[in-house]
Amino acid sequence: MDINEWRIRIDELNDELMSLLNKRATYAAEIGKIKKQKGLPVFDNGREQSVLNLVAEKAVKAGGPLSPESFQNIFRVIMEETRKVEE
């Protein structure tokens, strides 16, 4: 394959990622509603740390080119942006 074909594949994956991230944000919005009803804070450090630990563990098992730290950084941003939807 040439570079343009690889870029087309990446563009397709970007579309899938955006769809999945929007789905995740929709779920987070529902969680935010429940948190408001129960008077719970939006930020849950324990939950976020648990997600980051799990992501790192799965990254090690996957053995891909991205490191566990890279995945943790990506998920930190995802959670930070998703938190805004919960508010």
Side-chain angles (χ1 to χ4, degrees):
M1 276 195 293
D2 68 16
I3 192 169
N4 288 326
E5 290 170 314
W6 283 112
R7 286 180 174 162
I8 289 168
R9 286 184 172 200
I10 286 175
D11 291 343
E12 291 168 352
L13 285 176
N14 287 343
D15 291 345
E16 288 179 48
L17 286 169
M18 290 176 66
S19 177
L20 289 170
L21 289 169
N22 274 326
K23 187 174 186 178
R24 189 184 193 285
T26 299
Y27 293 175
E30 293 302 316
I31 290 171
K33 290 176 189 176
I34 294 168
K35 286 179 177 180
K36 280 183 184 178
Q37 289 172 350
K38 296 188 175 204
L40 298 171
V42 170
F43 179 70
D44 182 345
N45 186 54
R47 168 66 179 153
E48 292 198 9
Q49 193 56 53
S50 175
V51 169
L52 294 174
N53 291 341
L54 187 58
V55 163
E57 289 173 24
K58 288 182 178 187
V60 168
K61 289 178 185 174
L66 289 176
S67 70
E69 294 80 16
S70 293
F71 275 108
Q72 286 180 318
N73 290 336
I74 291 165
F75 273 81
R76 275 189 193 93
V77 173
I78 290 170
M79 289 187 291
E80 180 182 337
E81 293 303 316
T82 305
R83 217 179 301 124
K84 295 174 185 176
V85 175
E86 285 189 47
E87 295 175 340

XYZ file of all heavy atoms in Angstrom:
698
model
N 0.842 -1.191 0.000
C 0.000 0.000 0.000
C 0.876 1.240 0.000
O 1.943 1.242 0.598
C -0.887 0.023 1.254
C -2.147 -0.777 1.103
S -3.375 -0.413 2.354
C -2.606 -1.012 3.820
N 0.355 2.282 -0.602
C 1.107 3.533 -0.577
C 0.610 4.402 0.587
O -0.331 4.053 1.299
C 1.020 4.270 -1.912
C -0.362 4.806 -2.241
O -1.219 4.891 -1.340
O -0.589 5.158 -3.409
N 1.259 5.526 0.758
C 0.966 6.400 1.897
C -0.485 6.878 1.907
O -1.116 6.961 2.956
C 1.952 7.585 1.955
C 1.837 8.318 3.290
C 1.754 8.517 0.764
C 2.945 9.316 3.531
N -1.039 7.158 0.737
C -2.424 7.632 0.681
C -3.412 6.563 1.127
O -4.409 6.869 1.783
C -2.768 8.129 -0.725
C -2.082 9.439 -1.037
O -1.889 10.275 -0.160
N -1.703 9.616 -2.290
N -3.141 5.328 0.783
C -4.013 4.232 1.219
C -3.955 4.059 2.733
O -4.973 3.828 3.378
C -3.629 2.939 0.506
C -3.969 2.968 -0.983
C -3.374 1.795 -1.743
O -2.180 1.487 -1.541
O -4.118 1.206 -2.543
N -2.774 4.194 3.305
C -2.639 4.129 4.761
C -3.382 5.294 5.418
O -4.031 5.131 6.452
C -1.167 4.127 5.175
C -0.505 2.797 4.979
C 0.459 2.495 4.077
C -0.786 1.588 5.694
N 0.805 1.169 4.180
C 0.058 0.582 5.164
C -1.658 1.255 6.715
C 0.043 -0.731 5.637
C -1.667 -0.064 7.191
C -0.826 -1.028 6.653
N -3.285 6.456 4.805
C -3.976 7.630 5.362
C -5.493 7.470 5.301
O -6.196 7.892 6.209
C -3.524 8.897 4.647
C -2.125 9.300 5.055
C -1.666 10.540 4.355
N -0.370 10.962 4.898
C 0.443 11.787 4.294
N 0.108 12.308 3.116
N 1.596 12.120 4.841
N -5.982 6.852 4.242
C -7.420 6.576 4.148
C -7.847 5.649 5.286
O -8.881 5.869 5.930
C -7.776 5.976 2.768
C -7.655 7.052 1.692
C -9.182 5.369 2.770
C -7.701 6.521 0.265
N -7.054 4.640 5.550
C -7.352 3.729 6.666
C -7.353 4.474 8.004
O -8.199 4.233 8.852
C -6.355 2.577 6.701
C -6.601 1.564 5.619
C -5.661 0.407 5.759
N -6.052 -0.636 4.830
C -5.692 -1.899 4.963
N -4.946 -2.283 5.971
N -6.078 -2.788 4.082
N -6.390 5.357 8.183
C -6.343 6.141 9.419
C -7.579 7.027 9.530
O -8.184 7.142 10.605
C -5.037 6.965 9.507
C -3.872 6.033 9.821
C -5.149 8.082 10.546
C -2.515 6.697 9.821
N -7.975 7.657 8.428
C -9.179 8.493 8.439
C -10.415 7.682 8.833
O -11.265 8.161 9.597
C -9.406 9.153 7.070
C -8.368 10.214 6.740
O -7.671 10.683 7.658
O -8.255 10.554 5.544
N -10.497 6.468 8.335
C -11.616 5.598 8.695
C -11.598 5.256 10.182
O -12.634 5.256 10.851
C -11.591 4.322 7.848
C -11.924 4.571 6.386
C -11.633 3.383 5.485
O -11.021 2.385 5.946
O -12.007 3.454 4.295
N -10.415 4.971 10.696
C -10.290 4.698 12.128
C -10.636 5.928 12.955
O -11.263 5.809 14.014
C -8.871 4.234 12.467
C -8.520 2.810 12.079
C -7.052 2.538 12.378
C -9.411 1.813 12.783
N -10.234 7.095 12.483
C -10.585 8.332 13.189
C -12.095 8.483 13.300
O -12.615 8.884 14.350
C -9.984 9.553 12.495
C -8.493 9.659 12.698
O -7.921 9.033 13.582
N -7.849 10.453 11.854
N -12.807 8.152 12.230
C -14.275 8.205 12.270
C -14.828 7.250 13.322
O -15.731 7.603 14.087
C -14.865 7.846 10.898
C -14.598 8.910 9.842
O -14.222 10.051 10.200
O -14.763 8.582 8.647
N -14.278 6.041 13.379
C -14.714 5.058 14.373
C -14.406 5.539 15.788
O -15.236 5.401 16.696
C -14.042 3.716 14.130
C -14.551 2.983 12.910
C -13.834 1.653 12.710
O -13.701 0.890 13.686
O -13.410 1.396 11.571
N -13.207 6.088 15.969
C -12.828 6.591 17.293
C -13.760 7.713 17.740
O -14.193 7.754 18.898
C -11.381 7.093 17.288
C -10.298 6.020 17.249
C -8.936 6.651 16.971
C -10.271 5.247 18.548
N -14.085 8.612 16.836
C -14.981 9.719 17.179
C -16.353 9.197 17.570
O -16.955 9.672 18.546
C -15.069 10.708 16.021
C -13.788 11.493 15.818
S -13.843 12.577 14.383
C -15.100 13.733 14.879
N -16.843 8.217 16.856
C -18.131 7.626 17.181
C -18.100 6.978 18.571
O -19.009 7.177 19.381
C -18.512 6.591 16.120
O -19.712 5.959 16.451
N -17.047 6.238 18.846
C -16.917 5.586 20.150
C -16.757 6.605 21.277
O -17.327 6.440 22.366
C -15.742 4.611 20.142
C -15.942 3.351 19.318
C -14.630 2.574 19.191
C -17.030 2.467 19.916
N -15.999 7.657 21.031
C -15.825 8.686 22.060
C -17.140 9.410 22.342
O -17.442 9.735 23.496
C -14.726 9.673 21.654
C -13.306 9.097 21.698
C -12.327 10.054 21.031
C -12.885 8.800 23.130
N -17.924 9.654 21.299
C -19.235 10.272 21.519
C -20.159 9.340 22.293
O -20.924 9.785 23.165
C -19.879 10.681 20.191
C -19.432 12.051 19.766
O -19.205 12.934 20.591
N -19.306 12.246 18.469
N -20.086 8.063 22.013
C -20.879 7.080 22.757
C -20.459 7.074 24.219
O -21.286 7.072 25.127
C -20.692 5.695 22.131
C -21.577 4.624 22.693
C -21.400 3.328 21.881
C -22.370 2.266 22.320
N -22.221 1.037 21.510
N -19.156 7.098 24.462
C -18.632 7.142 25.831
C -19.112 8.398 26.552
O -19.501 8.355 27.709
C -17.097 7.097 25.799
C -16.445 6.932 27.152
C -14.927 6.995 27.019
N -14.233 6.552 28.200
C -14.128 7.249 29.330
N -14.699 8.438 29.425
N -13.469 6.766 30.364
N -19.084 9.527 25.846
C -19.531 10.793 26.445
C -21.022 10.749 26.769
O -21.455 11.321 27.778
C -19.215 11.955 25.504
N -21.815 10.081 25.934
C -23.245 9.931 26.204
C -23.453 9.144 27.495
O -24.283 9.505 28.326
C -23.942 9.222 25.018
O -23.773 10.027 23.853
C -25.413 9.005 25.286
N -22.690 8.080 27.661
C -22.773 7.301 28.906
C -22.361 8.156 30.106
O -22.988 8.111 31.159
C -21.871 6.074 28.831
C -22.273 5.008 27.843
C -21.454 3.904 27.646
C -23.438 5.087 27.081
C -21.788 2.906 26.738
C -23.775 4.094 26.172
C -22.953 3.007 26.010
O -23.270 2.015 25.115
N -21.308 8.936 29.924
C -20.834 9.801 31.011
C -21.889 10.833 31.387
O -22.065 11.160 32.562
C -19.536 10.491 30.616
N -22.605 11.350 30.400
C -23.668 12.319 30.681
C -24.749 11.677 31.544
O -25.275 12.314 32.472
C -24.261 12.846 29.375
N -25.074 10.430 31.261
C -26.068 9.713 32.074
C -25.548 9.498 33.496
O -26.289 9.642 34.465
C -26.435 8.383 31.422
C -27.189 8.527 30.115
C -28.482 9.317 30.260
O -29.234 9.087 31.225
O -28.738 10.179 29.390
N -24.280 9.165 33.610
C -23.669 9.018 34.936
C -23.708 10.353 35.671
O -23.989 10.407 36.873
C -22.226 8.475 34.819
C -22.264 7.016 34.372
C -21.463 8.633 36.136
C -20.912 6.440 34.007
N -23.446 11.438 34.939
C -23.497 12.773 35.539
C -24.873 13.083 36.112
O -24.987 13.678 37.187
N -25.928 12.685 35.425
C -27.289 12.898 35.926
C -27.504 12.152 37.239
O -28.078 12.690 38.191
C -28.318 12.428 34.897
C -28.399 13.283 33.662
C -29.386 12.682 32.659
C -29.349 13.386 31.325
N -30.224 12.740 30.329
N -27.031 10.920 37.286
C -27.169 10.120 38.506
C -26.376 10.749 39.647
O -26.860 10.835 40.787
C -26.725 8.664 38.248
C -27.680 8.000 37.256
C -26.653 7.875 39.546
C -27.178 6.666 36.701
N -25.171 11.204 39.346
C -24.339 11.843 40.375
C -25.037 13.082 40.929
O -25.015 13.319 42.136
C -22.966 12.216 39.810
C -22.044 11.029 39.613
C -20.707 11.490 39.028
C -19.733 10.367 38.871
N -18.449 10.826 38.301
N -25.645 13.879 40.042
C -26.362 15.080 40.506
C -27.522 14.705 41.410
O -27.731 15.320 42.450
C -26.862 15.893 39.314
C -25.810 16.743 38.678
C -26.384 17.586 37.546
C -25.244 18.349 36.864
N -25.705 19.136 35.737
N -28.282 13.692 41.017
C -29.419 13.247 41.819
C -28.983 12.796 43.206
O -29.686 13.009 44.182
C -30.147 12.088 41.128
C -30.912 12.468 39.896
C -31.451 11.242 39.152
O -31.111 10.100 39.455
N -32.294 11.505 38.154
N -27.814 12.168 43.273
C -27.313 11.630 44.536
C -26.396 12.600 45.272
O -25.891 12.274 46.339
C -26.595 10.312 44.291
C -27.524 9.240 43.769
C -26.855 7.895 43.713
C -27.882 6.854 43.296
N -27.536 5.534 43.724
N -26.173 13.786 44.680
C -25.313 14.774 45.315
C -23.848 14.378 45.337
O -23.102 14.795 46.232
N -23.438 13.601 44.357
C -22.046 13.160 44.287
C -21.234 14.110 43.410
O -21.768 14.697 42.469
C -21.974 11.753 43.691
C -22.683 10.654 44.473
C -22.721 9.366 43.659
C -21.990 10.416 45.806
N -19.958 14.248 43.708
C -19.114 15.108 42.866
C -18.876 14.471 41.499
O -18.882 13.246 41.359
C -17.803 15.207 43.660
C -17.760 13.969 44.489
C -19.205 13.637 44.803
N -18.646 15.301 40.507
C -18.364 14.818 39.160
C -17.024 14.081 39.152
O -16.908 12.993 38.595
C -18.355 15.981 38.140
C -17.819 15.529 36.790
C -19.757 16.558 37.993
N -16.017 14.671 39.769
C -14.682 14.073 39.770
C -14.597 12.979 40.818
O -14.905 13.201 41.991
C -13.617 15.138 40.043
C -12.217 14.590 40.075
C -11.608 14.141 38.914
C -11.512 14.531 41.254
C -10.310 13.633 38.931
C -10.215 14.043 41.294
C -9.622 13.589 40.135
N -14.200 11.794 40.388
C -14.015 10.646 41.281
C -12.600 10.120 41.065
O -12.352 9.302 40.172
C -15.064 9.575 40.964
C -14.979 8.361 41.877
O -13.959 8.180 42.571
O -15.943 7.569 41.872
N -11.688 10.618 41.866
C -10.276 10.280 41.701
C -10.038 8.774 41.763
O -9.257 8.241 40.972
C -9.422 10.990 42.751
C -7.941 10.777 42.505
O -7.445 11.044 41.423
N -7.244 10.250 43.508
N -10.711 8.091 42.663
C -10.528 6.648 42.788
C -10.916 5.912 41.518
O -10.202 5.017 41.063
N -12.044 6.294 40.950
C -12.508 5.659 39.711
C -11.535 5.945 38.570
O -11.175 5.055 37.804
C -13.904 6.164 39.357
C -14.379 5.818 37.972
C -14.584 4.330 37.753
N -15.060 4.101 36.380
C -14.867 3.004 35.697
N -14.236 1.979 36.235
N -15.331 2.887 34.469
N -11.104 7.198 38.459
C -10.197 7.550 37.371
C -8.865 6.821 37.506
O -8.318 6.336 36.516
C -10.026 9.060 37.272
C -11.309 9.723 36.816
C -11.144 11.134 36.287
O -9.999 11.585 36.098
O -12.191 11.766 36.044
N -8.369 6.706 38.707
C -7.106 5.985 38.909
C -7.278 4.514 38.566
O -6.396 3.892 37.965
C -6.600 6.147 40.346
C -5.175 5.691 40.531
C -4.200 6.400 39.590
O -4.146 7.616 39.514
N -3.421 5.626 38.846
N -8.426 3.961 38.919
C -8.724 2.575 38.585
C -8.732 2.363 37.066
O -8.182 1.378 36.557
C -10.079 2.186 39.181
O -10.450 0.907 38.791
N -9.345 3.285 36.341
C -9.374 3.207 34.873
C -7.954 3.282 34.327
O -7.573 2.494 33.449
C -10.260 4.330 34.267
C -10.077 4.416 32.756
C -11.720 4.115 34.625
N -7.162 4.201 34.823
C -5.783 4.353 34.337
C -4.943 3.106 34.612
O -4.146 2.689 33.763
C -5.129 5.589 34.954
C -5.732 6.926 34.536
C -5.103 8.063 35.330
C -5.585 7.152 33.038
N -5.133 2.514 35.782
C -4.397 1.288 36.101
C -4.804 0.146 35.165
O -3.947 -0.593 34.663
C -4.633 0.880 37.558
C -3.994 1.833 38.541
O -3.100 2.606 38.203
N -4.465 1.808 39.770
N -6.097 0.021 34.928
C -6.596 -1.034 34.051
C -6.113 -0.843 32.608
O -5.711 -1.802 31.938
C -8.124 -1.073 34.102
C -8.805 -2.219 33.365
C -8.325 -3.572 33.883
C -10.316 -2.094 33.511
N -6.120 0.399 32.161
C -5.635 0.710 30.817
C -4.160 0.314 30.683
O -3.754 -0.281 29.682
C -5.842 2.212 30.510
C -5.009 2.664 29.328
C -7.312 2.505 30.267
N -3.372 0.623 31.696
C -1.948 0.278 31.664
C -1.755 -1.236 31.623
O -0.937 -1.745 30.855
C -1.225 0.878 32.864
N -2.525 -1.954 32.437
C -2.431 -3.417 32.451
C -2.784 -3.995 31.080
O -2.095 -4.887 30.575
C -3.374 -4.005 33.499
C -2.943 -3.771 34.926
C -3.992 -4.233 35.928
O -4.821 -5.105 35.584
O -3.991 -3.711 37.050
N -3.851 -3.497 30.481
C -4.280 -4.000 29.179
C -3.265 -3.642 28.090
O -3.048 -4.412 27.156
C -5.667 -3.471 28.832
C -6.748 -4.107 29.668
C -8.119 -3.617 29.276
C -9.183 -4.330 30.109
N -10.542 -4.015 29.656
N -2.643 -2.489 28.206
C -1.628 -2.079 27.226
C -0.422 -3.002 27.282
O 0.149 -3.349 26.239
C -1.224 -0.628 27.471
N -0.040 -3.401 28.484
C 1.092 -4.326 28.626
C 0.751 -5.646 27.947
O 1.552 -6.197 27.182
C 1.442 -4.550 30.117
C 2.400 -5.708 30.287
C 2.030 -3.286 30.726
N -0.449 -6.147 28.194
C -0.866 -7.424 27.590
C -0.969 -7.316 26.071
O -0.661 -8.265 25.364
C -2.209 -7.869 28.176
C -2.117 -8.317 29.610
C -3.478 -8.695 30.168
C -3.382 -9.024 31.641
N -4.702 -9.248 32.249
N -1.433 -6.173 25.583
C -1.601 -5.995 24.134
C -0.259 -5.952 23.421
O -0.141 -6.386 22.285
C -2.398 -4.724 23.846
N 0.748 -5.397 24.089
C 2.090 -5.362 23.528
C 2.222 -4.562 22.241
O 3.096 -4.834 21.445
N 1.347 -3.591 22.058
C 1.384 -2.792 20.829
C 2.504 -1.774 20.814
O 3.296 -1.702 21.756
N 2.536 -1.003 19.780
C 3.583 0.015 19.712
C 3.383 1.152 20.713
O 4.348 1.821 21.079
C 3.513 0.535 18.270
C 2.178 0.144 17.764
C 1.757 -1.066 18.548
N 2.150 1.360 21.193
C 1.932 2.399 22.205
C 2.207 1.829 23.595
O 1.769 0.723 23.923
C 0.501 2.936 22.150
C 0.153 3.799 20.942
C -1.324 4.185 20.969
C 1.013 5.043 20.893
N 2.894 2.600 24.399
C 3.256 2.163 25.750
C 2.074 2.319 26.700
O 1.124 3.074 26.423
C 4.421 3.014 26.263
O 3.976 4.338 26.517
N 2.147 1.660 27.860
C 1.110 1.860 28.874
C 0.975 3.334 29.268
O -0.137 3.827 29.449
C 1.595 1.016 30.058
C 2.414 -0.061 29.422
C 3.078 0.602 28.241
N 2.094 4.033 29.346
C 2.071 5.455 29.699
C 1.354 6.267 28.625
O 0.623 7.212 28.941
C 3.487 5.989 29.915
C 4.200 5.406 31.109
C 4.794 4.006 30.852
O 4.929 3.592 29.674
O 5.105 3.321 31.842
N 1.566 5.908 27.367
C 0.882 6.608 26.281
C -0.620 6.433 26.398
O -1.383 7.399 26.270
C 1.350 6.087 24.916
O 2.691 6.427 24.686
N -1.048 5.210 26.648
C -2.481 4.967 26.812
C -3.035 5.706 28.030
O -4.136 6.263 27.987
C -2.783 3.474 26.918
C -2.920 2.805 25.587
C -1.946 1.938 25.130
C -4.021 3.047 24.780
C -2.064 1.320 23.897
C -4.154 2.438 23.540
C -3.164 1.567 23.102
N -2.285 5.732 29.104
C -2.744 6.477 30.279
C -2.890 7.953 29.960
O -3.864 8.583 30.371
C -1.781 6.263 31.456
C -1.920 4.892 32.075
C -0.971 4.683 33.228
O 0.199 5.076 33.173
N -1.462 4.056 34.278
N -1.946 8.517 29.234
C -2.047 9.931 28.846
C -3.275 10.182 27.987
O -3.992 11.171 28.178
C -0.784 10.377 28.107
C 0.421 10.466 29.009
O 0.293 10.638 30.222
N 1.595 10.324 28.434
N -3.523 9.296 27.036
C -4.692 9.431 26.166
C -5.976 9.373 26.998
O -6.873 10.200 26.832
C -4.680 8.339 25.077
C -3.535 8.596 24.088
C -6.032 8.255 24.367
C -3.197 7.417 23.190
N -6.049 8.409 27.911
C -7.261 8.266 28.721
C -7.425 9.392 29.726
O -8.553 9.745 30.078
C -7.318 6.883 29.380
C -7.961 5.863 28.488
C -7.230 5.245 27.484
C -9.304 5.550 28.621
C -7.822 4.327 26.636
C -9.904 4.626 27.778
C -9.166 4.014 26.782
N -6.335 9.975 30.193
C -6.462 11.154 31.063
C -7.207 12.272 30.332
O -8.092 12.917 30.883
C -5.093 11.651 31.508
C -4.545 10.961 32.706
C -3.270 11.647 33.233
N -2.623 10.783 34.188
C -1.655 9.912 33.903
N -1.173 9.813 32.676
N -1.134 9.158 34.836
N -6.822 12.499 29.095
C -7.472 13.549 28.296
C -8.925 13.174 28.014
O -9.823 14.014 28.146
C -6.695 13.802 26.980
C -7.459 14.750 26.082
C -5.306 14.341 27.275
N -9.174 11.925 27.666
C -10.544 11.480 27.419
C -11.403 11.709 28.654
O -12.509 12.260 28.573
C -10.578 9.994 26.999
C -9.984 9.817 25.607
C -12.011 9.443 27.057
C -9.754 8.363 25.210
N -10.903 11.314 29.810
C -11.686 11.481 31.048
C -11.874 12.956 31.392
O -12.947 13.360 31.836
C -11.043 10.705 32.199
C -11.201 9.202 32.031
S -10.642 8.208 33.434
C -8.870 8.461 33.361
N -10.840 13.751 31.179
C -10.949 15.187 31.459
C -12.033 15.822 30.584
O -12.875 16.584 31.070
C -9.604 15.868 31.215
C -9.613 17.355 31.475
C -8.274 17.996 31.174
O -7.242 17.296 31.195
O -8.256 19.210 30.903
N -12.026 15.509 29.317
C -13.017 16.076 28.398
C -14.411 15.515 28.668
O -15.400 16.243 28.587
C -12.602 15.829 26.952
C -11.351 16.581 26.536
C -11.461 18.093 26.725
O -12.502 18.671 26.377
O -10.484 18.691 27.220
N -14.483 14.251 29.000
C -15.773 13.620 29.299
C -16.375 14.185 30.585
O -17.592 14.322 30.702
C -15.604 12.099 29.395
O -15.015 11.621 28.192
C -16.951 11.403 29.588
N -15.516 14.503 31.529
C -15.994 15.099 32.789
C -16.791 16.365 32.529
O -17.767 16.664 33.226
C -14.787 15.391 33.692
C -15.056 15.154 35.143
C -13.839 15.429 36.033
N -12.685 14.617 35.689
C -11.491 15.098 35.386
N -11.261 16.398 35.369
N -10.489 14.296 35.091
N -16.400 17.109 31.515
C -17.119 18.351 31.167
C -18.554 18.055 30.762
O -19.446 18.871 31.004
C -16.390 19.082 30.034
C -15.022 19.584 30.426
C -14.291 20.165 29.235
C -12.866 20.567 29.602
N -12.126 21.053 28.430
N -18.794 16.903 30.157
C -20.130 16.499 29.754
C -20.972 16.128 30.972
O -22.179 16.312 30.986
C -20.065 15.308 28.759
C -21.434 14.784 28.414
C -19.309 15.707 27.509
N -20.313 15.620 32.003
C -21.017 15.211 33.222
C -21.519 16.411 34.017
O -22.457 16.281 34.788
C -20.103 14.378 34.121
C -19.888 12.971 33.644
C -19.155 12.144 34.668
O -19.507 12.172 35.862
O -18.197 11.445 34.273
N -20.883 17.546 33.858
C -21.217 18.715 34.680
C -22.526 19.354 34.290
O -23.069 19.256 33.259
C -20.093 19.742 34.596
C -18.823 19.208 35.195
C -17.636 20.150 35.032
O -17.643 21.037 34.182
O -16.676 19.953 35.794
